[in-house]
Amino acid sequence: MAPAMLLVSAALASFILAFGTGVEFVRFTSLRPLLGGIPESGGPDARQGWLAALQDRSILAPLAWDLGLLLLFVGQHSLMAAERVKAWTSRYFGVLQRSLYVACTALALQPLILPQLVMRYWEPIPRGPVLWEARAEPWATWVPLLCFVLHVISWLLIFSILLVFDYAELMGLKQVYYHVLGLGEPLALKSPRALRLFSHLRHPVCVELLTVLWVVPTLGTDRLLLALLLTLYLGLAHGLDQQDLHYLRAQLQRKLHLLSRPQDGEAE
């Protein structure tokens, strides 16, 4: 019983860490740029042009720092998703392999106990050039409002899709639950079509994340770096084909049908 309690405690700790990091990620990617969390630079005249910025160490230094933080996260996320590393962590950590992956991803983004990395040490570049900026009226009022609405819709879709994709399994909780009850590995119960989809799909919320990254009132230098690198990473991590899309559509229809059954019963 004691080993089972240790496994459950470790999985729950990983889940809490990941959940807290997810909340902070929403603040970092949406609330901070939309609600004015980045310091003002003093107006458009204080910003440098693109060519001048490439020769300014005060801009290149924080940009290189931000790039290093992003590469740290991408490297961790990709390395631990490699088959050899997954096999090694499964050998030594067993059923906690997915929980370990989730916890390390959360630590690479924002440790809640250790010094924070990407989100805590991210350096805004207020004097850097911008790709676009909504300052003149009526754009200064309506563009942030439109961006806010699109971000809310995107995050609601992200949470809904994660539930459809079995959130407990993505976070590593289901693996421990099945192991404690002697039900085996959850992936072993998946259909070949589902396993094929998982091998092609790194992130089930690609389009919604891209909306959050790019749809902002002001796309400054550091935000452009963040959006470009994560867009490239998300694009390389995906390889969906027609069969995967058909399977996704069938699963979505099945989930919606299951959700609507209690309402049908009450109506009768």
Side-chain angles (χ1 to χ4, degrees):
M1 187 66 181
M5 290 300 297
L6 289 176
L7 290 175
V8 172
S9 299
L12 286 175
S14 173
F15 170 77
I16 293 172
L17 178 64
F19 184 82
T21 301
V23 173
E24 180 65 14
F25 187 70
V26 173
R27 186 199 67 82
F28 177 72
T29 55
S30 291
L31 299 183
R32 182 176 171 181
L34 293 180
L35 302 182
I38 298 177
E40 291 293 333
S41 61
D45 295 337
R47 298 188 185 277
Q48 298 192 29
W50 291 97
L51 292 179
L54 293 176
Q55 303 172 4
D56 190 341
R57 292 185 55 131
S58 66
I59 291 179
L60 292 179
L63 199 61
W65 176 261
D66 292 342
L67 178 61
L69 292 174
L70 282 173
L71 291 178
L72 173 67
F73 164 70
V74 169
Q76 174 274 323
H77 213 52
S78 301
L79 181 64
M80 293 195 69
E83 291 300 326
R84 286 189 178 183
V85 177
K86 288 171 68 174
W88 183 85
T89 52
S90 296
R91 184 187 311 161
Y92 289 98
F93 293 92
V95 72
L96 290 175
Q97 183 270 330
R98 181 66 188 179
S99 294
L100 177 67
Y101 175 79
V102 170
C104 289
T105 299
L107 289 172
L109 275 174
Q110 178 227 331
L112 299 179
I113 301 175
L114 302 174
Q116 298 173 347
L117 293 179
V118 174
M119 291 184 284
R120 171 61 67 87
Y121 290 118
W122 186 265
E123 296 237 6
I125 309 176
R127 292 182 58 248
V130 297
L131 196 60
W132 64 72
E133 185 174 24
R135 279 189 175 269
E137 293 293 348
W139 310 114
T141 299
W142 290 105
V143 170
L145 180 60
L146 176 62
C147 292
F148 181 81
V149 171
L150 290 176
H151 277 232
V152 170
I153 293 174
S154 296
W155 284 118
L156 289 176
L157 287 174
I158 287 173
F159 299 145
S160 301
I161 292 171
L162 289 178
L163 290 177
V164 170
F165 266 78
D166 201 337
Y167 185 70
E169 187 172 346
L170 288 173
M171 293 293 103
L173 292 174
K174 192 172 184 178
Q175 290 85 334
V176 174
Y177 174 76
Y178 272 46
H179 176 78
V180 171
L181 295 183
L183 300 177
E185 173 64 34
L187 281 179
L189 304 177
K190 300 288 185 183
S191 67
R193 295 174 67 191
L195 295 176
R196 184 177 186 276
L197 171 67
F198 294 158
S199 67
H200 292 172
L201 183 66
R202 178 72 59 82
H203 294 279
V205 290
C206 180
V207 175
E208 293 78 10
L209 277 178
L210 292 181
T211 301
V212 169
L213 290 172
W214 288 97
V215 180
V216 288
T218 301
L219 190 68
T221 312
D222 58 304
R223 182 69 178 205
L224 179 61
L225 174 68
L226 177 71
L228 278 176
L229 195 59
L230 291 186
T231 298
L232 179 63
Y233 177 65
L234 288 171
L236 293 177
H238 281 67
L240 298 184
D241 55 20
Q242 204 66 24
Q243 294 185 43
D244 294 323
L245 295 177
H246 286 318
Y247 174 75
L248 278 173
R249 184 182 303 170
Q251 289 301 304
L252 178 60
Q253 291 175 349
R254 186 177 70 86
K255 296 275 187 178
L256 292 175
H257 177 68
L258 290 175
L259 291 174
S260 64
R261 285 177 62 183
Q263 297 178 359
D264 295 340
E266 292 175 2
E268 292 175 359

